[in-house]
């Protein structure tokens, strides 16, 4: 929860529409950009969360002070819903539940890539300890907007392929 350097997100793949797009949005100029953070019961314009709710949240207050509302980094699904606002929140729609079988893990932050790798490996190890017989790994292919394959670094390529 203390997202000062790195944020780790997990999503139930059952709630995702592919392809996913990492992009920035202008929350100040686009009131139609809505978001429902994890553990919240309502969708509101992203600007509402940044200006009103997150400044009061100890885990998100620093982000709310620093973020440029005209350039907010988000992960968006094919149906245009926002899955993550980096690095502070995942959405409620893809929350993990006890019955979740397919997960997407993501790491973002201002720390070095090596530290992000370490954080992802820590998460995979935690999941493996909690479900030693239930994890299977699958490779995923990352492509750019032109459809060209973009290879990932070996450690990320292996661990990004979590849970079947």
């Amino acid at each position: 929860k203390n997202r000062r350097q790195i944020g780790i997100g997990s999503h139930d793949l059952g709630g995702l529409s592919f392809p996913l797009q990492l992009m920035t949005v202008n929350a100040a100029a686009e009131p139609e950009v809505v978001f429902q953070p994890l553990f919240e019961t309502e969708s509101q314009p992203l600007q509402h969360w940044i200006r009103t709710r997150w400044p009061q949240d100890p885990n998100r207050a620093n982000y709310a002070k620093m973020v440029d509302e005209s350039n907010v980094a988000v992960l968006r699904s094919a149906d245009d819903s926002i899955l993550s606002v980096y690095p502070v929140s995942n959405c409620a729609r893809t929350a993990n539940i006890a019955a979740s079988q397919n997960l997407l893990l993501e790491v973002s932050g201002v720390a070095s890539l090596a530290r992000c790798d370490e954080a992802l490996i820590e998460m995979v190890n935690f999941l493996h300890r909690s479900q030693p017989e239930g994890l299977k790994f699958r490779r995923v292919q990352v492509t750019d907007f032109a459809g060209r394959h973009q290879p990932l670094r070996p450690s990320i390529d292996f661990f990004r392929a979590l849970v079947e």
Side-chain angles (χ1 to χ4, degrees), residues 51-72:
R51 289 185 181 179
T52 308
R53 298 288 293 277
W54 290 347
Q56 302 166 17
D57 181 335
N59 293 315
R60 297 179 173 114
N62 284 337
Y63 171 81
K65 286 184 224 171
M66 296 183 316
V67 68
D68 173 0
E69 289 183 28
S70 67
N71 196 28
V72 181

Side-chain angles (χ1 to χ4, degrees), residues 1 3 36-42 49 53 60 89-93 95-96:
K1 292 197 176 257
R3 297 166 184 89
Q36 182 179 352
L38 194 60
F39 308 120
E40 295 288 346
T41 58
E42 60 185 340
W49 298 109
R53 298 288 293 277
R60 297 179 173 114
S89 188
N90 291 348
C91 71
R93 188 181 74 166
N96 298 322

Side-chain angles (χ1 to χ4, degrees), residues 67-149:
V67 68
D68 173 0
E69 289 183 28
S70 67
N71 196 28
V72 181
V74 300
L75 180 65
R76 189 173 250 171
S77 68
D79 66 3
D80 280 340
S81 60
I82 296 177
L83 304 175
S84 291
V85 176
Y86 292 111
V88 295
S89 188
N90 291 348
C91 71
R93 188 181 74 166
T94 61
N96 298 322
I97 58 172
S100 294
Q101 294 184 349
N102 294 294
L103 304 175
L104 169 70
L105 297 179
E106 57 172 330
V107 175
S108 63
V110 296
S112 68
L113 287 176
R115 182 61 192 117
C116 289
D117 282 352
E118 290 170 14
L120 187 56
I121 290 167
E122 286 175 31
M123 175 61 112
V124 169
N125 286 335
F126 168 78
L127 291 171
H128 183 64
R129 285 190 303 274
S130 64
Q131 297 288 328
E133 301 300 319
L135 292 182
K136 295 180 183 175
F137 294 88
R138 180 177 50 203
R139 285 191 183 273
V140 293
Q141 185 175 19
V142 176
T143 58
D144 63 17
F145 289 110
R148 297 177 298 242
H149 175 69

